[in-house]
Amino acid sequence: MKDKSSFWFAMLTPLVVGALSGLISKKGMDIYEAAADKPALSPPSILFPIVWTILYLLLGYSLYRVLESDSLNKRDAVIAFSVGLILNFLWSPIFFNLQAYTFASIILVALIIAIIIMAVTFYKADRLAGYLQIPYLLWLCFALYLNIATSNIN
């Protein structure tokens, strides 16, 4: 580990942003959880914080690897990371609090595109950092299914 401060910054940033988004969306999440009608493949609610924590840790570790790399793509990777994190932050309040399911779907599509771009720029800086974004992309695609299915139910 070359720089402990960049490690902690990279690891904590996605966790803190995700936690803030979750706190802002807590009331809406509780309402969603109490709803009788959910998409057919909707997992138990306990799974979401576990999966998101793992994904945020993978994202943070990937960012750290990029920050510590000698890549000329580092700046582009950090910009792509930032755009993705902002979109990720916005989705929960839009989906849960506002129940704006169509707009939330649009945000998710934009997020998926942003994460594909981020994964490619991460890959150019550090191959493992790029590959570690595959679970995030798969989860976002599943989230898009849940988002669209929820909008069709409601």
Side-chain angles (χ1 to χ4, degrees):
M1 186 179 317
K2 296 178 190 175
D3 182 359
K4 287 183 182 182
S5 63
S6 68
F7 175 79
W8 289 112
F9 170 79
M11 294 302 290
L12 292 176
T13 298
L15 289 169
V16 169
V17 170
L20 286 173
S21 182
L23 284 173
I24 290 169
S25 306
K26 178 71 172 118
K27 185 176 179 182
M29 286 181 198
D30 291 343
I31 292 168
Y32 177 81
E33 183 56 36
D37 294 332
K38 292 190 189 75
L41 298 177
S42 188
S45 60
I46 189 64
L47 187 63
F48 289 98
I50 295 167
V51 169
W52 277 112
T53 300
I54 292 167
L55 294 174
Y56 288 143
L57 290 171
L58 290 173
L59 183 57
Y61 182 65
S62 295
L63 177 62
Y64 170 71
R65 290 183 64 91
V66 168
L67 292 174
E68 292 298 308
S69 75
D70 295 327
S71 173
L72 299 175
N73 295 312
K74 197 182 314 192
R75 180 179 175 276
D76 292 342
V78 171
I79 290 169
F81 165 85
S82 301
V83 169
L85 201 57
I86 290 166
L87 290 170
N88 188 304
F89 175 85
L90 293 173
W91 180 84
S92 288
I94 291 168
F95 180 86
F96 291 110
N97 294 1
L98 300 178
Q99 296 178 357
Y101 301 127
T102 301
F103 186 47
S105 292
I106 294 167
I107 295 290
L108 264 177
V109 169
L111 176 56
I112 289 167
I113 292 167
I115 299 309
I116 290 170
I117 293 167
M118 183 192 74
V120 169
T121 58
F122 273 24
Y123 179 86
K124 289 177 182 177
D126 180 276
R127 285 186 176 192
L128 179 59
Y131 285 130
L132 288 175
Q133 299 319 299
I134 293 170
Y136 187 22
L137 281 168
L138 294 173
W139 184 255
L140 290 175
C141 291
F142 180 64
L144 182 60
Y145 152 76
L146 292 174
N147 192 141
I148 292 169
T150 298
S151 67
N152 289 334
I153 292 170
N154 295 307

